[in-house]
Amino acid sequence: MDMSGRQVKDVLYAQVARIGKAMCSPKRLELIEILCQGEKPVERLAIEANISVKLASAHLKELRQAHLVEARREGKNVYYSLTGEAVADFWVALRSLAEDRLLELRAALAKLSEHVHELTPMSRDEILDLAKRGDVVVLDVRPETEYAAGHLPYAQSMPLTEVQKRLAELPRDKPVVAYCRGPFCLMAKEAVELLNKEGFQAIRLEDGVAEWRAHGLPIVSAS
Amino acid sequence: MDMSGRQVKDVLYAQVARIGKAMCSPKRLELIEILCQGEKPVERLAIEANISVKLASAHLKELRQAHLVEARREGKNVYYSLTGEAVADFWVALRSLAEDRLLELRAALAKLSEHVHELTPMSRDEILDLAKRGDVVVLDVRPETEYAAGHLPYAQSMPLTEVQKRLAELPRDKPVVAYCRGPFCLMAKEAVELLNKEGFQAIRLEDGVAEWRAHGLPIVSAS
DNA sequence: CTAACATTCTAACGATGATTGGATTATTGG
DNA sequence: CCAATAATCCAATCATCGTTAGAATGTTAG
């Protein structure tokens, strides 16, 4: 039962290609990014990714077969989550390589932040430091469940849908740094536009928790 | 000419998926690994990957469209190379995630090193240190052109095909550490088996230059 | 210019993937 | 047990990919 060198190699590369195959569909990538924000049931994932539940289920099956996600049943719902932080790190690496290599992507991304001044000029460490001292307010504008699953240190939860009603909670004399799921997510951008219109000093941090952690910085999870 | 948030997202994820698509075929992955060893003409790549020149050309076109490789014409030949070290790093990350997640891959890989004692127990830093002091001989058993394109510090070139004739150049009182293109390459394994049969103290380092450099260690290129 | 060579392009086929609708399997609440 | 809900499985459609063969392109040597 011996294999030639060629056969062995074919098996090895085919196995690695399984991961590649899982990562080659836009919708699957979007599901992975959503799952970077914590576990979610199928229907939630389908809504967030704007696809049917059936299709979401099919894509999740693919991802599960590549051992990138796993499922947990709780009552009627099946909750999906990443199989580990390595998957989130890999997603960050893939997106970052794509940004690096594909001009089209960089162009599309640039449109999202046409007002350069709305992007934070501060480094991650600076933000962490300022937030610790209370010199900036770090705002997590994702849904509350995602905040609960893990958020930046010293960050305060204020889902995008509630920002308008809760303006009173924010200071007008300090910068407000808003973040969401990552560079491809539009929630922080909208929050910043809204806040600036209301006279706040709001800027956006492009990182989500996955990017933040992939760069070696700490994440707080309410456990 | 405004786009809805959904449309923007679809564009962004589709762009990243281009990289995934390029990485989802076993043969393309093999081509990338070969290109990690330095630039090569199409025919050489086809031979190494065991495919027809036409097919190699088609795959290379895909990779080029994803901006992962680039082509340079020199006379009748077209030389392909990676567009940067980031691509090699990404390949290492992908393979490493696959090894981590896929039991089948780990099983297949384990068969390659069934004699555990043939794998080096030393860390990269130890090897570098011992090689520097001349306490081990580090042997690069890849073809000479690949050695020339870049090799481990203090490594000596001895292509697998020549090892048998050049045994006299190797010491019998010190460990010989052989490496090749990486964990999926069989050349170092064969070299180690041959050397041990001849009475040498040979062990294998699974790293190739891409793995070595991805871990932050220096590479020497004859410039 | 012509011949020879290396590579790419075009066309074609079978295989595989994305997507959808209908039936099916778990689970909860009565 | 039955009805309702959540999710998956199955079958079918259409598009896309991998692969091969044949034609075409670009380059060098004479």
Side-chain angles (χ1 to χ4, degrees):
Chain A
M1 181 67 174
D2 219 30
M3 280 172 130
S4 79
R6 176 39 50 190
Q7 286 172 315
V8 173
K9 281 193 185 185
D10 285 346
V11 170
L12 292 173
Y13 287 106
Q15 288 299 319
V16 181
R18 282 175 62 192
I19 305 282
K21 255 175 51 177
M23 292 278 197
C24 76
S25 145
K27 284 302 176 192
R28 281 199 287 272
L29 293 176
E30 190 163 358
L31 289 171
I32 288 177
E33 165 135 297
I34 298 168
L35 287 173
C36 284
Q37 321 301 322
E39 70 166 15
K40 292 201 188 301
V42 180
E43 199 182 357
R44 193 67 269 140
L45 288 165
I47 294 171
E48 296 282 356
N50 198 32
I51 54 181
S52 73
V53 172
K54 280 177 205 190
L55 186 52
S57 182
H59 279 311
L60 288 165
K61 186 184 173 190
E62 287 273 322
L63 289 171
R64 206 174 28 182
Q65 282 171 346
H67 293 138
L68 296 178
V69 309
E70 58 196 357
R72 173 180 76 81
R73 179 148 214 149
E74 187 180 306
K76 286 189 216 169
N77 295 324
V78 174
Y79 288 82
Y80 277 87
S81 56
L82 300 184
T83 52
E85 294 183 355
V87 179
D89 290 348
F90 186 75
W91 157 243
V92 172
L94 172 59
R95 207 198 44 226
S96 145
L97 180 67
E99 262 178 66
D100 206 55
R101 285 292 177 283
L102 303 177
L103 297 176
E104 297 91 329
L105 177 52
R106 233 178 311 176
L109 212 46
K111 267 191 214 159
L112 288 194
S113 48
E114 41 199 16
H115 308 294
V116 178
H117 62 278
E118 286 176 353
L119 275 183
T120 173
M122 297 178 251
S123 74
R124 296 184 178 91
D125 292 308
E126 277 178 288
I127 290 176
L128 185 55
D129 196 48
L130 290 170
K132 186 179 197 167
R133 292 201 304 240
D135 290 339
V136 302
V137 170
V138 177
L139 213 58
D140 186 323
V141 299
R142 299 173 300 159
E144 259 159 312
T145 57
E146 300 182 6
Y147 175 85
H151 55 83
L152 268 56
Y154 313 104
Q156 170 183 351
S157 173
M158 190 181 291
L160 179 58
T161 50
E162 302 180 12
V163 173
Q164 184 72 60
K165 317 169 207 156
R166 293 170 60 181
L167 293 175
E169 298 174 33
L170 299 173
R172 289 179 179 273
D173 57 341
K174 293 178 198 168
V176 175
V177 176
Y179 75 91
C180 49
R181 291 171 178 160
F184 288 5
C185 179
L186 307 171
M187 293 190 284
K189 175 182 156 69
E190 289 180 29
V192 165
E193 282 168 5
L194 193 160
L195 288 173
N196 280 331
K197 204 169 288 176
E198 298 284 348
F200 291 87
Q201 310 163 35
I203 48 181
R204 175 182 173 197
L205 169 66
E206 275 196 301
D207 283 353
V209 291
E211 290 75 18
W212 184 267
R213 200 196 43 233
H215 285 90
L217 291 160
I219 291 296
V220 181
S221 51
S223 54
Chain B
M1 180 67 180
D2 218 29
M3 280 171 129
S4 79
R6 176 37 55 188
Q7 286 173 315
V8 172
K9 280 194 185 183
D10 285 346
V11 170
L12 293 173
Y13 287 105
Q15 288 300 318
V16 181
R18 283 175 62 190
I19 304 283
K21 253 176 53 179
M23 292 278 197
C24 76
S25 146
K27 286 301 176 191
R28 281 200 285 272
L29 292 176
E30 190 163 357
L31 289 172
I32 288 176
E33 165 136 297
I34 298 168
L35 286 173
C36 284
Q37 320 300 322
E39 69 166 15
K40 292 202 188 301
V42 179
E43 198 182 359
R44 203 48 286 133
L45 289 166
I47 293 171
E48 297 281 357
N50 198 32
I51 54 180
S52 74
V53 172
K54 282 176 200 187
L55 185 51
S57 181
H59 280 310
L60 289 165
K61 186 184 172 189
E62 287 273 322
L63 289 172
R64 207 175 26 181
Q65 283 172 347
H67 293 134
L68 296 178
V69 309
E70 57 196 356
R72 173 179 73 82
R73 180 148 214 149
E74 186 179 309
K76 286 189 215 169
N77 295 324
V78 175
Y79 288 82
Y80 278 87
S81 56
L82 300 184
T83 51
E85 294 182 357
V87 179
D89 290 348
F90 186 75
W91 157 242
V92 173
L94 171 59
R95 207 197 45 228
S96 146
L97 180 67
E99 264 178 65
D100 205 57
R101 286 291 176 283
L102 304 177
L103 297 176
E104 297 92 326
L105 176 54
R106 236 181 306 178
L109 212 45
K111 269 192 213 158
L112 287 194
S113 46
E114 42 198 16
H115 308 293
V116 178
H117 61 278
E118 286 175 352
L119 275 183
T120 174
M122 296 178 254
S123 73
R124 295 184 179 91
D125 292 308
E126 276 178 289
I127 290 175
L128 185 55
D129 196 48
L130 290 169
K132 187 178 195 166
R133 292 201 304 239
D135 291 339
V136 302
V137 170
V138 176
L139 214 58
D140 185 323
V141 300
R142 299 173 301 159
E144 259 160 312
T145 56
E146 299 183 5
Y147 174 85
H151 56 83
L152 268 56
Y154 313 105
Q156 169 183 351
S157 173
M158 191 181 293
L160 179 57
T161 51
E162 302 180 13
V163 173
Q164 184 71 61
K165 318 168 205 158
R166 295 171 59 181
L167 294 175
E169 297 175 33
L170 298 173
R172 289 179 180 272
D173 56 340
K174 293 177 199 168
V176 175
V177 176
Y179 75 90
C180 50
R181 290 171 179 161
F184 288 6
C185 179
L186 306 171
M187 293 192 284
K189 174 182 157 72
E190 289 181 28
V192 165
E193 281 168 5
L194 193 159
L195 288 173
N196 281 331
K197 204 169 286 176
E198 297 283 348
F200 291 86
Q201 310 163 35
I203 48 181
R204 175 182 174 198
L205 169 66
E206 275 196 301
D207 282 355
V209 292
E211 289 77 17
W212 184 267
R213 200 197 40 235
H215 285 90
L217 291 161
I219 291 296
V220 181
S221 52
S223 50

